[in-house]
Amino acid sequence: MKLKFLGAAKTVTGSCFLVETGDFRFAVDCGLFQGSKSLQQRNYQDFPVDPASINFLILTHAHIDHSGLIPKLCKKGFTGPIYCSQITEQLCQVVLPDSGYIQESEVERKNRKLKRSGLKLLEPIYTAQDAQNCLSQFHPLNADEIIKVNCNISIRLRTAGHILGAMIVEVWVEEEGKKSKLVFSGDLGNVNQPLVKDPSIIENTDYLIIESTYGNRLHDDSMDRAEKFLQVINETMAKGGNLIIPAFAVERTQDLIYDLIMLGYEKKLDPHMQIYIDSPLAIAATEIFVKNRDSYEDNTRAFMTKGDPWQYINLNLTRTREESMRLNDCVNKSIIISASGMCEAGRIKHHLKHNLWRPESTILFVGYQAAGTLGRRILDGEEIVTIHGEKVAVKADIRRIEAYSAHADRNGLIDWLMSFVVKPRDIFIVHGEEEAQLALAEAIQQKLNVPIFIPDWLQEFELIAREEEVRPSYVHSSKELSEAVKAEQMYLQVSLKLNEMFRENWTRGNYAKIIEAMQNISSIVD
């Protein structure tokens, strides 16, 4: 079995991992590269493997750096199923066409300048229609259910806690009678978040592919994030300026809305202050979040399903371009939340253009800013930036609240890894800048004695299936380890048999037999 790193290798974006076993290939994620021009150029290159040769794709979540090249993959010949959670499928129905539209718009704007200069025109990586075309290949799965893809490969999705619908991926591969297990962490979330549930505990794996976005940093928990947010709001309103928040349309915008609702509920906000969500994608994603309130963390679900939570804030949804443009002309002492989160495209660039030069305004960053992005350059202190070909002085207050990060920090990643009953044989660190990856590798080495790899882009590893062995536990006693391994193996065997029984009888219409089996199992479990 071979594992090849087609993205997110020594960089944060472009997640894509290819697994090849025999004559069968599958991929985990297929995301856009974001950041420097050299990274973005990879989006325009041919795929390192023939898309038609990939049998299926597993998508961890809907963020564009994990999903954003799927339309291109399908356009270039991939015809297999795309396995993901149900909420991820819903989000991709709005995220991917929006991505195609943005790329078309950006290319159209650039081509106007190129045409005037007599230069070769650009083509978008894919169009909104290309994105729409790929949606029929999405195949949503239930969380925690083991699916047998073929006679040698089974998969299971587990809650990752990063954004709504985000999943950890477990894959079991059998080669020559020997089984190996791979776990792809996807993006792991913080614990105790109001909207999403905590990441699932994974019992064991042979090979772990783990993210490292905040592998060298700790989140500041010295003050509640909503209180920090309120402090920035009050300071900006006192100056008479606007509070501009570049925010990812999926999850981060909804986190901000939730905190604003709670601040309004607690009567800490000026009831006359106007709040604008200026992103059609963020609006569509929010509607999906509202529809899936049953997936929220328990306390949040109870609050958000009781009464009308929207009554506590003056929330304005600006859907059209004309409405967005009016915000630049007449709005003051307001909060404007807009995408994209790294300021690379979308309406946020217009709001930055109209507010960065104003000392009375504040730009608040609440998410990760990849190296090379406009957001990162502003955070790093550049005094003049170029937006849409125009130089803009940075005079506004630049603030940051890391508590909104949807990623686990270094301690969170280590805590999740230490929850494994049996430690991985090998660990591959991905989805992070090199400094973060090296720091996380060092922190893991202090806890575990296992091989750790930081792959290069396009690097390939041979994964050898080994005989089943009892590996030493670093948390539990040998007796607990033996029982834990046995319990996991038996659970997987029963789950697979149950899944096969259900599918076989469902296909044949033997519903009574399914009901009888479920009743028998329920009586034993109860």
Side-chain angles (χ1 to χ4, degrees):
M1 177 168 56
K2 296 178 181 178
L3 173 62
K4 191 167 186 176
F5 294 85
L6 306 186
K10 295 183 178 178
T11 186
V12 175
T13 61
S15 288
C16 188
F17 315 109
L18 185 76
V19 179
E20 185 173 351
T21 171
D23 57 355
F24 206 85
R25 279 178 169 172
F26 67 90
V28 177
D29 287 343
C30 189
L32 270 174
F33 288 94
Q34 299 169 301
S36 66
K37 288 185 178 180
S38 61
L39 273 179
Q40 292 184 47
Q41 191 58 37
R42 295 180 185 178
N43 297 321
Y44 294 88
Q45 298 174 5
D46 291 337
F47 286 103
V49 298
D50 180 8
S53 71
I54 300 174
N55 297 90
F56 67 89
L57 174 74
I58 310 171
L59 177 59
T60 59
H61 64 285
H63 273 157
I64 208 70
D65 59 329
H66 291 256
S67 67
L69 280 184
I70 289 177
K72 178 181 176 180
L73 190 75
C74 296
K75 182 180 180 180
K76 296 297 183 180
F78 171 66
T79 59
I82 301 166
Y83 298 113
C84 62
S85 70
Q86 296 182 26
I87 296 176
T88 294
E89 181 196 29
Q90 295 172 29
L91 289 170
C92 282
Q93 288 173 356
V94 296
V95 167
L96 294 182
D98 181 80
S99 173
Y101 170 76
I102 287 176
Q103 290 172 57
E104 288 183 81
S105 300
E106 289 289 305
V107 166
E108 181 182 356
R109 182 182 59 80
K110 291 177 181 178
N111 279 344
R112 286 197 294 269
K113 295 183 179 180
L114 293 173
K115 191 174 183 178
R116 289 194 294 267
S117 302
L119 300 176
K120 183 180 178 180
L121 302 184
L122 303 174
E123 290 187 9
I125 302 167
Y126 57 86
T127 65
Q129 186 58 53
D130 293 330
Q132 196 67 43
N133 294 341
C134 80
L135 297 176
S136 62
Q137 293 174 232
F138 278 70
H139 188 93
L141 304 177
N142 294 325
D144 303 322
E145 180 181 353
I146 296 177
I147 301 297
K148 197 165 187 178
V149 179
N150 60 28
C151 58
N152 295 319
I153 300 176
S154 298
I155 64 176
R156 177 167 63 175
L157 304 181
R158 310 287 295 278
T159 300
H162 172 61
I163 68 171
L164 217 60
M167 293 290 161
I168 301 163
V169 175
E170 295 178 288
V171 184
W172 292 267
V173 178
E174 183 172 348
E175 291 183 299
E176 300 178 352
K178 300 176 182 178
K179 285 188 177 181
S180 296
K181 181 181 178 183
L182 300 89
V183 169
F184 298 83
S185 73
D187 284 349
L188 290 172
N190 288 315
V191 298
N192 302 320
Q193 296 301 297
L195 289 182
V196 295
K197 297 178 180 178
D198 291 352
S200 295
I201 300 300
I202 306 299
E203 294 81 6
N204 64 67
T205 189
D206 295 302
Y207 304 102
L208 172 64
I209 297 86
I210 185 171
E211 69 119 325
S212 58
T213 308
Y214 283 87
N216 61 339
R217 292 160 67 179
L218 299 177
H219 298 319
D220 181 10
D221 296 325
S222 60
M223 186 189 301
D224 178 80
R225 75 180 195 189
E227 290 300 319
K228 293 179 182 178
F229 190 16
L230 179 62
Q231 187 177 65
V232 175
I233 293 171
N234 290 338
E235 290 172 359
T236 306
M237 297 306 112
K239 293 187 301 178
N242 292 320
L243 175 56
I244 308 298
I245 309 177
F248 297 112
V250 178
E251 190 68 37
R252 202 60 42 82
T253 295
Q254 292 75 40
D255 282 337
L256 292 166
I257 292 173
Y258 172 79
D259 279 356
L260 287 166
I261 288 173
M262 294 306 297
L263 290 171
Y265 171 73
E266 295 167 357
K267 301 187 184 305
K268 294 180 178 180
L269 283 183
D270 177 353
H272 303 293
M273 183 176 59
Q274 299 298 314
I275 300 164
Y276 297 90
I277 306 299
D278 187 29
S279 163
L281 176 58
I283 294 169
T286 300
E287 291 169 347
I288 292 172
F289 271 58
V290 171
K291 184 170 65 174
N292 288 280
R293 285 176 291 185
D294 288 346
S295 299
Y296 295 173
E297 183 275 333
D298 292 345
N299 292 332
T300 302
R301 183 178 66 249
F303 175 80
M304 295 297 283
T305 55
K306 179 182 176 182
D308 177 20
W310 305 101
Q311 65 181 299
Y312 302 114
I313 57 175
N314 292 316
L315 187 65
N316 304 274
L317 307 179
T318 56
R319 299 177 186 271
T320 68
R321 181 180 297 180
E322 291 72 23
E323 290 173 325
S324 177
M325 292 173 65
R326 282 198 291 270
L327 297 185
N328 294 322
D329 297 329
C330 61
V331 168
N332 282 294
K333 299 186 69 173
S334 300
I335 298 174
I336 301 175
I337 303 170
S338 187
S340 67
M342 295 186 194
C343 309
E344 284 295 277
R347 296 180 179 179
I348 187 61
K349 297 181 78 170
H350 295 279
H351 296 304
L352 290 174
K353 186 176 178 179
H354 285 80
N355 286 275
L356 265 176
W357 54 271
R358 303 175 62 195
E360 65 270 25
S361 289
T362 301
I363 314 300
L364 173 62
F365 290 95
V366 292
Y368 186 82
Q369 305 298 310
T373 61
L374 175 59
R376 180 66 164 267
R377 297 201 304 274
I378 294 171
L379 265 180
D380 285 347
E382 287 196 13
E383 296 181 355
I384 298 177
V385 295
T386 301
I387 302 176
H388 295 152
E390 181 179 333
K391 293 188 181 300
V392 181
V394 180
K395 299 293 185 181
D397 280 344
I398 308 301
R399 303 290 293 275
R400 183 179 196 172
I401 301 179
E402 289 190 5
Y404 279 100
S405 174
H407 288 269
D409 64 7
R410 184 190 65 202
N411 288 350
L413 293 168
I414 293 295
D415 288 345
W416 179 77
L417 180 55
M418 293 299 290
S419 68
F420 278 62
V421 176
V422 181
K423 65 183 178 182
R425 288 191 173 112
D426 297 312
I427 296 175
F428 298 89
I429 298 179
V430 297
H431 209 284
E433 295 175 10
E434 288 190 62
E435 296 85 354
Q437 293 179 316
L438 290 170
L440 181 61
E442 182 179 355
I444 293 174
Q445 284 287 11
Q446 292 176 0
K447 298 286 185 179
L448 309 176
N449 182 27
V450 298
I452 298 175
F453 303 92
I454 301 177
D456 289 313
W457 182 47
L458 302 182
Q459 189 171 2
E460 185 174 271
F461 293 81
E462 185 82 26
L463 306 183
I464 307 299
R466 284 167 267 191
E467 297 288 350
E468 185 62 37
E469 60 185 42
V470 176
R471 284 165 275 154
S473 169
Y474 52 89
V475 178
H476 302 270
S477 67
S478 58
K479 180 179 179 182
E480 290 175 322
L481 171 63
S482 177
E483 291 178 346
V485 172
K486 184 177 180 181
E488 168 73 359
Q489 291 174 339
M490 292 184 69
Y491 170 74
L492 294 177
Q493 291 171 1
V494 171
S495 297
L496 284 170
K497 289 180 181 178
L498 181 61
N499 189 265
E500 290 171 359
M501 181 278 296
F502 176 85
R503 290 179 178 275
E504 180 180 349
N505 286 285
W506 184 269
T507 302
R508 296 179 179 179
N510 296 332
Y511 308 123
K513 189 170 182 180
I514 296 174
I515 293 172
E516 181 183 0
M518 295 299 105
Q519 289 174 336
N520 291 335
I521 293 172
S522 296
S523 64
I524 295 172
V525 174
D526 292 340

